[in-house]
Amino acid sequence: MTESLEKKIKKEKQKNIPTNWNVTIKNINVEALENFDYFKIIARVGKVNQKYRTLIERDFNELSFNYLVGNYKSTIVMSGSLVEMILTYFCEKKNHKIINVKNVRGGFDSKKLYDAVLNDLISFVEDKKLFGNDFQHLGNLARVYRNFIHPGLELKSKAIIKPKAELCFISSLEILKKILN
Protein backbone atom coordinates (compact mmCIF):
# COMPACT_ATOMS: atom_id res chain seq x y z
CA MET A 1 0.00 0.00 0.00
CA THR A 2 1.33 3.43 -0.86
CA GLU A 3 1.84 6.04 1.77
CA SER A 4 -0.26 9.21 1.59
CA LEU A 5 1.46 12.28 0.22
CA GLU A 6 0.82 14.10 3.49
CA LYS A 7 2.58 11.38 5.55
CA LYS A 8 5.42 11.22 3.07
CA ILE A 9 5.97 15.00 3.27
CA LYS A 10 6.01 14.90 7.08
CA LYS A 11 8.52 12.05 7.01
CA GLU A 12 10.74 13.80 4.47
CA LYS A 13 10.92 17.19 6.26
CA GLN A 14 14.61 16.60 6.92
CA LYS A 15 15.19 16.75 3.15
CA ASN A 16 14.21 20.44 2.89
CA ILE A 17 10.70 20.01 1.54
CA PRO A 18 8.97 23.39 1.91
CA THR A 19 7.00 23.44 5.15
CA ASN A 20 3.90 24.96 3.57
CA TRP A 21 3.43 22.01 1.19
CA ASN A 22 1.85 19.87 3.88
CA VAL A 23 -0.60 22.65 4.78
CA THR A 24 -1.48 23.50 1.20
CA ILE A 25 -2.07 19.90 0.16
CA LYS A 26 -4.87 19.82 2.74
CA ASN A 27 -6.54 22.70 0.86
CA ILE A 28 -7.40 20.36 -2.00
CA ASN A 29 -10.66 18.81 -0.96
CA VAL A 30 -14.22 18.46 -2.20
CA GLU A 31 -15.52 21.34 -0.09
CA ALA A 32 -12.89 23.75 -1.42
CA LEU A 33 -13.69 22.69 -4.98
CA GLU A 34 -17.42 23.08 -4.43
CA ASN A 35 -16.87 26.59 -3.01
CA PHE A 36 -15.93 27.86 -6.46
CA ASP A 37 -18.24 25.62 -8.50
CA TYR A 38 -15.41 23.43 -9.78
CA PHE A 39 -17.67 20.48 -10.55
CA LYS A 40 -20.29 22.60 -12.32
CA ILE A 41 -17.62 24.26 -14.44
CA ILE A 42 -15.98 20.93 -15.31
CA ALA A 43 -19.39 19.62 -16.39
CA ARG A 44 -19.77 22.65 -18.69
CA VAL A 45 -16.26 22.15 -20.06
CA GLY A 46 -17.30 18.57 -20.86
CA LYS A 47 -19.79 19.96 -23.39
CA VAL A 48 -17.10 21.86 -25.33
CA ASN A 49 -15.98 20.33 -28.61
CA GLN A 50 -13.09 17.88 -28.36
CA LYS A 51 -10.64 20.25 -30.05
CA TYR A 52 -10.84 22.66 -27.11
CA ARG A 53 -12.15 20.47 -24.29
CA THR A 54 -8.81 18.89 -23.41
CA LEU A 55 -6.99 22.23 -23.43
CA ILE A 56 -9.62 24.12 -21.44
CA GLU A 57 -9.90 21.31 -18.91
CA ARG A 58 -6.11 21.13 -18.55
CA ASP A 59 -5.82 24.88 -18.00
CA PHE A 60 -8.79 25.00 -15.62
CA ASN A 61 -7.43 22.12 -13.55
CA GLU A 62 -3.99 23.69 -13.41
CA LEU A 63 -5.49 27.06 -12.45
CA SER A 64 -7.64 25.46 -9.74
CA PHE A 65 -4.75 23.45 -8.31
CA ASN A 66 -2.39 26.42 -8.21
CA TYR A 67 -5.01 28.61 -6.58
CA LEU A 68 -5.83 26.03 -3.91
CA VAL A 69 -2.21 25.39 -2.96
CA GLY A 70 -1.33 29.08 -2.90
CA ASN A 71 0.88 29.25 -5.99
CA TYR A 72 -0.11 32.84 -6.66
CA LYS A 73 2.26 33.60 -9.52
CA SER A 74 1.09 30.46 -11.28
CA THR A 75 -2.54 31.37 -10.60
CA ILE A 76 -2.07 34.74 -12.30
CA VAL A 77 -0.29 33.25 -15.30
CA MET A 78 -2.82 30.44 -15.67
CA SER A 79 -5.72 32.91 -15.42
CA GLY A 80 -4.42 34.74 -18.46
CA SER A 81 -3.81 31.50 -20.33
CA LEU A 82 -7.27 30.14 -19.57
CA VAL A 83 -9.02 33.38 -20.52
CA GLU A 84 -7.08 33.49 -23.79
CA MET A 85 -8.02 29.86 -24.52
CA ILE A 86 -11.70 30.29 -23.71
CA LEU A 87 -11.93 33.49 -25.79
CA THR A 88 -10.26 31.74 -28.72
CA TYR A 89 -12.78 28.91 -28.36
CA PHE A 90 -15.69 31.38 -28.22
CA CYS A 91 -14.52 33.34 -31.28
CA GLU A 92 -14.01 30.19 -33.31
CA LYS A 93 -17.40 28.84 -32.26
CA LYS A 94 -18.97 32.10 -33.47
CA ASN A 95 -17.01 31.87 -36.76
CA HIS A 96 -14.75 34.82 -36.05
CA LYS A 97 -11.68 33.43 -37.87
CA ILE A 98 -10.35 36.93 -38.46
CA ILE A 99 -10.66 39.56 -35.76
CA ASN A 100 -10.31 43.30 -36.09
CA VAL A 101 -8.16 44.88 -33.42
CA LYS A 102 -7.79 48.61 -32.77
CA ASN A 103 -4.35 49.92 -33.59
CA VAL A 104 -2.49 52.93 -32.16
CA ARG A 105 -3.69 55.16 -35.02
CA GLY A 106 -7.34 54.58 -34.08
CA GLY A 107 -8.02 52.30 -37.01
CA PHE A 108 -8.27 48.54 -37.09
CA ASP A 109 -5.88 45.78 -38.04
CA SER A 110 -7.07 42.33 -39.04
CA LYS A 111 -5.53 39.30 -37.34
CA LYS A 112 -6.07 35.62 -37.81
CA LEU A 113 -7.73 34.22 -34.71
CA TYR A 114 -4.83 31.92 -33.83
CA ASP A 115 -2.38 34.84 -34.11
CA ALA A 116 -4.34 36.96 -31.63
CA VAL A 117 -3.07 37.40 -28.09
CA LEU A 118 -5.09 37.97 -24.93
CA ASN A 119 -5.20 41.74 -25.32
CA ASP A 120 -6.43 41.41 -28.93
CA LEU A 121 -9.18 38.99 -27.92
CA ILE A 122 -10.36 41.13 -25.02
CA SER A 123 -10.42 44.24 -27.24
CA PHE A 124 -12.32 42.41 -29.98
CA VAL A 125 -14.95 41.05 -27.60
CA GLU A 126 -15.29 44.46 -25.94
CA ASP A 127 -15.59 46.34 -29.26
CA LYS A 128 -18.33 43.95 -30.38
CA LYS A 129 -20.04 44.13 -26.94
CA LEU A 130 -20.43 40.36 -27.06
CA PHE A 131 -20.77 40.01 -23.27
CA GLY A 132 -21.96 43.37 -22.03
CA ASN A 133 -20.10 46.20 -20.41
CA ASP A 134 -18.25 44.49 -17.58
CA PHE A 135 -16.41 41.92 -19.66
CA GLN A 136 -13.40 44.08 -20.46
CA HIS A 137 -12.77 44.65 -16.77
CA LEU A 138 -12.95 40.94 -16.01
CA GLY A 139 -10.63 40.05 -18.87
CA ASN A 140 -8.19 42.82 -18.12
CA LEU A 141 -7.57 41.50 -14.61
CA ALA A 142 -5.86 38.45 -16.08
CA ARG A 143 -4.05 40.51 -18.71
CA VAL A 144 -2.85 43.36 -16.50
CA TYR A 145 -1.78 41.29 -13.54
CA ARG A 146 0.32 39.00 -15.73
CA ASN A 147 2.55 42.04 -16.10
CA PHE A 148 3.28 41.88 -12.36
CA ILE A 149 4.93 38.52 -12.91
CA HIS A 150 8.25 39.95 -13.87
CA PRO A 151 11.38 39.43 -11.74
CA GLY A 152 12.46 43.07 -11.91
CA LEU A 153 9.04 44.34 -10.88
CA GLU A 154 8.80 41.84 -8.06
CA LEU A 155 12.20 42.82 -6.73
CA LYS A 156 11.40 46.54 -6.89
CA SER A 157 7.85 46.59 -5.58
CA LYS A 158 7.72 43.63 -3.19
CA ALA A 159 3.98 43.75 -3.86
CA ILE A 160 1.83 41.10 -2.28
CA ILE A 161 0.40 39.12 -5.15
CA LYS A 162 -2.16 37.05 -3.22
CA PRO A 163 -4.99 39.59 -3.69
CA LYS A 164 -4.10 39.95 -7.37
CA ALA A 165 -4.16 36.17 -7.77
CA GLU A 166 -7.55 35.97 -6.08
CA LEU A 167 -8.95 38.64 -8.40
CA CYS A 168 -7.55 36.85 -11.46
CA PHE A 169 -8.96 33.53 -10.30
CA ILE A 170 -12.43 34.94 -9.65
CA SER A 171 -12.51 36.87 -12.94
CA SER A 172 -11.45 33.73 -14.84
CA LEU A 173 -14.28 31.79 -13.25
CA GLU A 174 -16.77 34.50 -14.21
CA ILE A 175 -15.54 34.48 -17.80
CA LEU A 176 -15.79 30.69 -17.97
CA LYS A 177 -19.35 30.84 -16.65
CA LYS A 178 -20.33 33.54 -19.17
CA ILE A 179 -18.90 31.65 -22.15
CA LEU A 180 -19.86 28.12 -21.12
CA ASN A 181 -23.39 28.92 -19.90
Side-chain angles (χ1 to χ4, degrees), residues 78-103:
M78 286 310 303
S79 290
S81 180
L82 180 60
V83 170
E84 191 170 336
M85 179 65 66
I86 197 75
L87 287 175
T88 303
Y89 159 74
F90 175 79
C91 287
E92 186 170 308
K93 181 179 170 186
K94 299 295 183 184
N95 292 314
H96 297 292
K97 307 280 182 176
I98 303 288
I99 63 171
N100 293 317
V101 181
K102 282 186 182 175
N103 61 33

PDB file of all heavy atoms in Angstrom, residues 78-103:
ATOM      1  N   MET A  78      -1.821  31.365 -15.150  1.00  0.00           N
ATOM      2  CA  MET A  78      -2.822  30.437 -15.674  1.00  0.00           C
ATOM      3  C   MET A  78      -4.163  31.127 -15.927  1.00  0.00           C
ATOM      4  O   MET A  78      -4.895  30.740 -16.834  1.00  0.00           O
ATOM      5  CB  MET A  78      -3.012  29.246 -14.726  1.00  0.00           C
ATOM      6  CG  MET A  78      -1.881  28.244 -14.760  1.00  0.00           C
ATOM      7  SD  MET A  78      -1.424  27.706 -16.427  1.00  0.00           S
ATOM      8  CE  MET A  78      -2.961  27.053 -17.042  1.00  0.00           C
ATOM      9  N   SER A  79      -4.491  32.154 -15.162  1.00  0.00           N
ATOM     10  CA  SER A  79      -5.722  32.906 -15.419  1.00  0.00           C
ATOM     11  C   SER A  79      -5.684  33.505 -16.815  1.00  0.00           C
ATOM     12  O   SER A  79      -6.643  33.389 -17.577  1.00  0.00           O
ATOM     13  CB  SER A  79      -5.908  34.027 -14.388  1.00  0.00           C
ATOM     14  OG  SER A  79      -6.207  33.497 -13.139  1.00  0.00           O
ATOM     15  N   GLY A  80      -4.559  34.143 -17.131  1.00  0.00           N
ATOM     16  CA  GLY A  80      -4.419  34.735 -18.464  1.00  0.00           C
ATOM     17  C   GLY A  80      -4.479  33.687 -19.554  1.00  0.00           C
ATOM     18  O   GLY A  80      -5.132  33.872 -20.587  1.00  0.00           O
ATOM     19  N   SER A  81      -3.823  32.572 -19.332  1.00  0.00           N
ATOM     20  CA  SER A  81      -3.805  31.498 -20.326  1.00  0.00           C
ATOM     21  C   SER A  81      -5.204  30.929 -20.547  1.00  0.00           C
ATOM     22  O   SER A  81      -5.630  30.717 -21.687  1.00  0.00           O
ATOM     23  CB  SER A  81      -2.849  30.393 -19.863  1.00  0.00           C
ATOM     24  OG  SER A  81      -2.808  29.356 -20.794  1.00  0.00           O
ATOM     25  N   LEU A  82      -5.919  30.697 -19.464  1.00  0.00           N
ATOM     26  CA  LEU A  82      -7.266  30.137 -19.572  1.00  0.00           C
ATOM     27  C   LEU A  82      -8.222  31.118 -20.252  1.00  0.00           C
ATOM     28  O   LEU A  82      -9.003  30.725 -21.118  1.00  0.00           O
ATOM     29  CB  LEU A  82      -7.799  29.753 -18.190  1.00  0.00           C
ATOM     30  CG  LEU A  82      -9.206  29.157 -18.168  1.00  0.00           C
ATOM     31  CD1 LEU A  82      -9.290  27.884 -18.998  1.00  0.00           C
ATOM     32  CD2 LEU A  82      -9.645  28.900 -16.737  1.00  0.00           C
ATOM     33  N   VAL A  83      -8.147  32.383 -19.892  1.00  0.00           N
ATOM     34  CA  VAL A  83      -9.022  33.378 -20.518  1.00  0.00           C
ATOM     35  C   VAL A  83      -8.718  33.463 -22.008  1.00  0.00           C
ATOM     36  O   VAL A  83      -9.629  33.522 -22.839  1.00  0.00           O
ATOM     37  CB  VAL A  83      -8.884  34.754 -19.818  1.00  0.00           C
ATOM     38  CG1 VAL A  83      -9.589  35.849 -20.613  1.00  0.00           C
ATOM     39  CG2 VAL A  83      -9.448  34.676 -18.399  1.00  0.00           C
ATOM     40  N   GLU A  84      -7.449  33.455 -22.366  1.00  0.00           N
ATOM     41  CA  GLU A  84      -7.079  33.485 -23.789  1.00  0.00           C
ATOM     42  C   GLU A  84      -7.629  32.258 -24.521  1.00  0.00           C
ATOM     43  O   GLU A  84      -8.181  32.371 -25.616  1.00  0.00           O
ATOM     44  CB  GLU A  84      -5.561  33.558 -23.920  1.00  0.00           C
ATOM     45  CG  GLU A  84      -5.085  33.849 -25.316  1.00  0.00           C
ATOM     46  CD  GLU A  84      -3.591  34.159 -25.375  1.00  0.00           C
ATOM     47  OE1 GLU A  84      -3.012  34.597 -24.360  1.00  0.00           O
ATOM     48  OE2 GLU A  84      -3.018  33.968 -26.457  1.00  0.00           O
ATOM     49  N   MET A  85      -7.521  31.096 -23.910  1.00  0.00           N
ATOM     50  CA  MET A  85      -8.016  29.861 -24.523  1.00  0.00           C
ATOM     51  C   MET A  85      -9.534  29.894 -24.684  1.00  0.00           C
ATOM     52  O   MET A  85     -10.071  29.559 -25.747  1.00  0.00           O
ATOM     53  CB  MET A  85      -7.606  28.646 -23.682  1.00  0.00           C
ATOM     54  CG  MET A  85      -8.105  27.323 -24.230  1.00  0.00           C
ATOM     55  SD  MET A  85      -7.409  26.896 -25.826  1.00  0.00           S
ATOM     56  CE  MET A  85      -5.705  26.684 -25.369  1.00  0.00           C
ATOM     57  N   ILE A  86     -10.236  30.315 -23.654  1.00  0.00           N
ATOM     58  CA  ILE A  86     -11.699  30.294 -23.712  1.00  0.00           C
ATOM     59  C   ILE A  86     -12.224  31.344 -24.689  1.00  0.00           C
ATOM     60  O   ILE A  86     -13.231  31.126 -25.370  1.00  0.00           O
ATOM     61  CB  ILE A  86     -12.318  30.442 -22.284  1.00  0.00           C
ATOM     62  CG1 ILE A  86     -13.781  30.001 -22.264  1.00  0.00           C
ATOM     63  CG2 ILE A  86     -12.193  31.828 -21.742  1.00  0.00           C
ATOM     64  CD1 ILE A  86     -13.982  28.531 -22.299  1.00  0.00           C
ATOM     65  N   LEU A  87     -11.527  32.472 -24.797  1.00  0.00           N
ATOM     66  CA  LEU A  87     -11.935  33.486 -25.787  1.00  0.00           C
ATOM     67  C   LEU A  87     -11.654  33.008 -27.210  1.00  0.00           C
ATOM     68  O   LEU A  87     -12.448  33.273 -28.117  1.00  0.00           O
ATOM     69  CB  LEU A  87     -11.235  34.815 -25.519  1.00  0.00           C
ATOM     70  CG  LEU A  87     -11.727  35.593 -24.309  1.00  0.00           C
ATOM     71  CD1 LEU A  87     -10.881  36.835 -24.083  1.00  0.00           C
ATOM     72  CD2 LEU A  87     -13.194  35.963 -24.446  1.00  0.00           C
ATOM     73  N   THR A  88     -10.560  32.311 -27.404  1.00  0.00           N
ATOM     74  CA  THR A  88     -10.264  31.744 -28.720  1.00  0.00           C
ATOM     75  C   THR A  88     -11.351  30.735 -29.096  1.00  0.00           C
ATOM     76  O   THR A  88     -11.864  30.737 -30.218  1.00  0.00           O
ATOM     77  CB  THR A  88      -8.870  31.082 -28.740  1.00  0.00           C
ATOM     78  OG1 THR A  88      -7.894  32.060 -28.367  1.00  0.00           O
ATOM     79  CG2 THR A  88      -8.537  30.518 -30.100  1.00  0.00           C
ATOM     80  N   TYR A  89     -11.708  29.884 -28.153  1.00  0.00           N
ATOM     81  CA  TYR A  89     -12.781  28.914 -28.364  1.00  0.00           C
ATOM     82  C   TYR A  89     -14.084  29.639 -28.740  1.00  0.00           C
ATOM     83  O   TYR A  89     -14.748  29.276 -29.719  1.00  0.00           O
ATOM     84  CB  TYR A  89     -12.993  28.072 -27.098  1.00  0.00           C
ATOM     85  CG  TYR A  89     -14.346  27.427 -27.018  1.00  0.00           C
ATOM     86  CD1 TYR A  89     -14.664  26.325 -27.815  1.00  0.00           C
ATOM     87  CD2 TYR A  89     -15.334  27.918 -26.162  1.00  0.00           C
ATOM     88  CE1 TYR A  89     -15.920  25.732 -27.756  1.00  0.00           C
ATOM     89  CE2 TYR A  89     -16.583  27.339 -26.096  1.00  0.00           C
ATOM     90  CZ  TYR A  89     -16.870  26.247 -26.892  1.00  0.00           C
ATOM     91  OH  TYR A  89     -18.119  25.672 -26.836  1.00  0.00           O
ATOM     92  N   PHE A  90     -14.442  30.655 -27.974  1.00  0.00           N
ATOM     93  CA  PHE A  90     -15.686  31.376 -28.220  1.00  0.00           C
ATOM     94  C   PHE A  90     -15.690  32.009 -29.608  1.00  0.00           C
ATOM     95  O   PHE A  90     -16.674  31.891 -30.345  1.00  0.00           O
ATOM     96  CB  PHE A  90     -15.884  32.463 -27.149  1.00  0.00           C
ATOM     97  CG  PHE A  90     -17.078  33.328 -27.407  1.00  0.00           C
ATOM     98  CD1 PHE A  90     -18.348  32.888 -27.091  1.00  0.00           C
ATOM     99  CD2 PHE A  90     -16.926  34.573 -27.990  1.00  0.00           C
ATOM    100  CE1 PHE A  90     -19.456  33.684 -27.342  1.00  0.00           C
ATOM    101  CE2 PHE A  90     -18.026  35.371 -28.248  1.00  0.00           C
ATOM    102  CZ  PHE A  90     -19.296  34.927 -27.923  1.00  0.00           C
ATOM    103  N   CYS A  91     -14.591  32.675 -29.964  1.00  0.00           N
ATOM    104  CA  CYS A  91     -14.522  33.344 -31.276  1.00  0.00           C
ATOM    105  C   CYS A  91     -14.619  32.332 -32.411  1.00  0.00           C
ATOM    106  O   CYS A  91     -15.324  32.561 -33.397  1.00  0.00           O
ATOM    107  CB  CYS A  91     -13.232  34.163 -31.391  1.00  0.00           C
ATOM    108  SG  CYS A  91     -13.258  35.664 -30.384  1.00  0.00           S
ATOM    109  N   GLU A  92     -13.939  31.206 -32.264  1.00  0.00           N
ATOM    110  CA  GLU A  92     -14.011  30.190 -33.313  1.00  0.00           C
ATOM    111  C   GLU A  92     -15.416  29.611 -33.409  1.00  0.00           C
ATOM    112  O   GLU A  92     -15.937  29.402 -34.506  1.00  0.00           O
ATOM    113  CB  GLU A  92     -12.995  29.079 -33.055  1.00  0.00           C
ATOM    114  CG  GLU A  92     -12.938  28.087 -34.196  1.00  0.00           C
ATOM    115  CD  GLU A  92     -11.782  27.125 -34.088  1.00  0.00           C
ATOM    116  OE1 GLU A  92     -10.632  27.575 -33.917  1.00  0.00           O
ATOM    117  OE2 GLU A  92     -12.037  25.908 -34.185  1.00  0.00           O
ATOM    118  N   LYS A  93     -16.028  29.379 -32.280  1.00  0.00           N
ATOM    119  CA  LYS A  93     -17.398  28.842 -32.256  1.00  0.00           C
ATOM    120  C   LYS A  93     -18.370  29.790 -32.962  1.00  0.00           C
ATOM    121  O   LYS A  93     -19.306  29.354 -33.622  1.00  0.00           O
ATOM    122  CB  LYS A  93     -17.824  28.628 -30.800  1.00  0.00           C
ATOM    123  CG  LYS A  93     -19.196  28.051 -30.623  1.00  0.00           C
ATOM    124  CD  LYS A  93     -19.495  27.865 -29.141  1.00  0.00           C
ATOM    125  CE  LYS A  93     -20.947  27.510 -28.933  1.00  0.00           C
ATOM    126  NZ  LYS A  93     -21.302  27.462 -27.526  1.00  0.00           N
ATOM    127  N   LYS A  94     -18.116  31.086 -32.836  1.00  0.00           N
ATOM    128  CA  LYS A  94     -18.971  32.098 -33.467  1.00  0.00           C
ATOM    129  C   LYS A  94     -18.473  32.482 -34.865  1.00  0.00           C
ATOM    130  O   LYS A  94     -18.927  33.473 -35.437  1.00  0.00           O
ATOM    131  CB  LYS A  94     -19.046  33.358 -32.589  1.00  0.00           C
ATOM    132  CG  LYS A  94     -19.640  33.114 -31.222  1.00  0.00           C
ATOM    133  CD  LYS A  94     -21.090  32.713 -31.321  1.00  0.00           C
ATOM    134  CE  LYS A  94     -21.705  32.531 -29.949  1.00  0.00           C
ATOM    135  NZ  LYS A  94     -23.067  32.053 -30.002  1.00  0.00           N
ATOM    136  N   ASN A  95     -17.557  31.687 -35.403  1.00  0.00           N
ATOM    137  CA  ASN A  95     -17.008  31.867 -36.756  1.00  0.00           C
ATOM    138  C   ASN A  95     -16.257  33.179 -36.964  1.00  0.00           C
ATOM    139  O   ASN A  95     -16.259  33.737 -38.050  1.00  0.00           O
ATOM    140  CB  ASN A  95     -18.106  31.710 -37.816  1.00  0.00           C
ATOM    141  CG  ASN A  95     -18.593  30.286 -37.889  1.00  0.00           C
ATOM    142  OD1 ASN A  95     -17.788  29.355 -37.915  1.00  0.00           O
ATOM    143  ND2 ASN A  95     -19.899  30.106 -37.911  1.00  0.00           N
ATOM    144  N   HIS A  96     -15.612  33.651 -35.939  1.00  0.00           N
ATOM    145  CA  HIS A  96     -14.745  34.823 -36.051  1.00  0.00           C
ATOM    146  C   HIS A  96     -13.317  34.322 -36.293  1.00  0.00           C
ATOM    147  O   HIS A  96     -12.507  34.262 -35.379  1.00  0.00           O
ATOM    148  CB  HIS A  96     -14.794  35.678 -34.786  1.00  0.00           C
ATOM    149  CG  HIS A  96     -16.129  36.259 -34.487  1.00  0.00           C
ATOM    150  ND1 HIS A  96     -16.706  37.237 -35.266  1.00  0.00           N
ATOM    151  CD2 HIS A  96     -17.008  36.013 -33.484  1.00  0.00           C
ATOM    152  CE1 HIS A  96     -17.879  37.557 -34.753  1.00  0.00           C
ATOM    153  NE2 HIS A  96     -18.088  36.828 -33.687  1.00  0.00           N
ATOM    154  N   LYS A  97     -13.014  33.955 -37.525  1.00  0.00           N
ATOM    155  CA  LYS A  97     -11.677  33.430 -37.869  1.00  0.00           C
ATOM    156  C   LYS A  97     -10.665  34.561 -38.019  1.00  0.00           C
ATOM    157  O   LYS A  97      -9.476  34.368 -37.844  1.00  0.00           O
ATOM    158  CB  LYS A  97     -11.728  32.624 -39.162  1.00  0.00           C
ATOM    159  CG  LYS A  97     -12.770  31.527 -39.175  1.00  0.00           C
ATOM    160  CD  LYS A  97     -12.307  30.317 -38.461  1.00  0.00           C
ATOM    161  CE  LYS A  97     -13.420  29.269 -38.588  1.00  0.00           C
ATOM    162  NZ  LYS A  97     -13.122  28.037 -38.048  1.00  0.00           N
ATOM    163  N   ILE A  98     -11.165  35.723 -38.366  1.00  0.00           N
ATOM    164  CA  ILE A  98     -10.352  36.935 -38.460  1.00  0.00           C
ATOM    165  C   ILE A  98     -10.978  37.938 -37.501  1.00  0.00           C
ATOM    166  O   ILE A  98     -12.194  38.134 -37.498  1.00  0.00           O
ATOM    167  CB  ILE A  98     -10.377  37.527 -39.902  1.00  0.00           C
ATOM    168  CG1 ILE A  98      -9.905  36.515 -40.934  1.00  0.00           C
ATOM    169  CG2 ILE A  98      -9.582  38.825 -39.965  1.00  0.00           C
ATOM    170  CD1 ILE A  98      -8.424  36.214 -40.912  1.00  0.00           C
ATOM    171  N   ILE A  99     -10.123  38.556 -36.677  1.00  0.00           N
ATOM    172  CA  ILE A  99     -10.662  39.557 -35.765  1.00  0.00           C
ATOM    173  C   ILE A  99     -10.024  40.909 -36.060  1.00  0.00           C
ATOM    174  O   ILE A  99      -8.868  40.981 -36.473  1.00  0.00           O
ATOM    175  CB  ILE A  99     -10.474  39.167 -34.284  1.00  0.00           C
ATOM    176  CG1 ILE A  99      -9.002  39.080 -33.911  1.00  0.00           C
ATOM    177  CG2 ILE A  99     -11.171  37.867 -33.975  1.00  0.00           C
ATOM    178  CD1 ILE A  99      -8.774  38.918 -32.427  1.00  0.00           C
ATOM    179  N   ASN A 100     -10.803  41.937 -35.892  1.00  0.00           N
ATOM    180  CA  ASN A 100     -10.314  43.304 -36.085  1.00  0.00           C
ATOM    181  C   ASN A 100      -9.934  43.867 -34.731  1.00  0.00           C
ATOM    182  O   ASN A 100     -10.739  43.852 -33.793  1.00  0.00           O
ATOM    183  CB  ASN A 100     -11.380  44.174 -36.745  1.00  0.00           C
ATOM    184  CG  ASN A 100     -11.651  43.722 -38.157  1.00  0.00           C
ATOM    185  OD1 ASN A 100     -10.727  43.427 -38.906  1.00  0.00           O
ATOM    186  ND2 ASN A 100     -12.917  43.634 -38.527  1.00  0.00           N
ATOM    187  N   VAL A 101      -8.702  44.370 -34.669  1.00  0.00           N
ATOM    188  CA  VAL A 101      -8.161  44.881 -33.417  1.00  0.00           C
ATOM    189  C   VAL A 101      -7.766  46.336 -33.615  1.00  0.00           C
ATOM    190  O   VAL A 101      -7.109  46.673 -34.607  1.00  0.00           O
ATOM    191  CB  VAL A 101      -6.928  44.049 -32.985  1.00  0.00           C
ATOM    192  CG1 VAL A 101      -6.368  44.541 -31.689  1.00  0.00           C
ATOM    193  CG2 VAL A 101      -7.282  42.570 -32.901  1.00  0.00           C
ATOM    194  N   LYS A 102      -8.154  47.201 -32.680  1.00  0.00           N
ATOM    195  CA  LYS A 102      -7.788  48.615 -32.771  1.00  0.00           C
ATOM    196  C   LYS A 102      -6.275  48.759 -32.741  1.00  0.00           C
ATOM    197  O   LYS A 102      -5.591  48.102 -31.964  1.00  0.00           O
ATOM    198  CB  LYS A 102      -8.381  49.407 -31.605  1.00  0.00           C
ATOM    199  CG  LYS A 102      -9.836  49.722 -31.770  1.00  0.00           C
ATOM    200  CD  LYS A 102     -10.329  50.638 -30.667  1.00  0.00           C
ATOM    201  CE  LYS A 102     -11.810  50.884 -30.844  1.00  0.00           C
ATOM    202  NZ  LYS A 102     -12.351  51.672 -29.747  1.00  0.00           N
ATOM    203  N   ASN A 103      -5.781  49.638 -33.597  1.00  0.00           N
ATOM    204  CA  ASN A 103      -4.352  49.924 -33.590  1.00  0.00           C
ATOM    205  C   ASN A 103      -4.101  51.285 -32.951  1.00  0.00           C
ATOM    206  O   ASN A 103      -5.039  51.984 -32.576  1.00  0.00           O
ATOM    207  CB  ASN A 103      -3.755  49.826 -35.008  1.00  0.00           C
ATOM    208  CG  ASN A 103      -4.383  50.810 -35.969  1.00  0.00           C
ATOM    209  OD1 ASN A 103      -4.769  51.912 -35.604  1.00  0.00           O
ATOM    210  ND2 ASN A 103      -4.513  50.404 -37.230  1.00  0.00           N
TER     211      ASN A 103
END
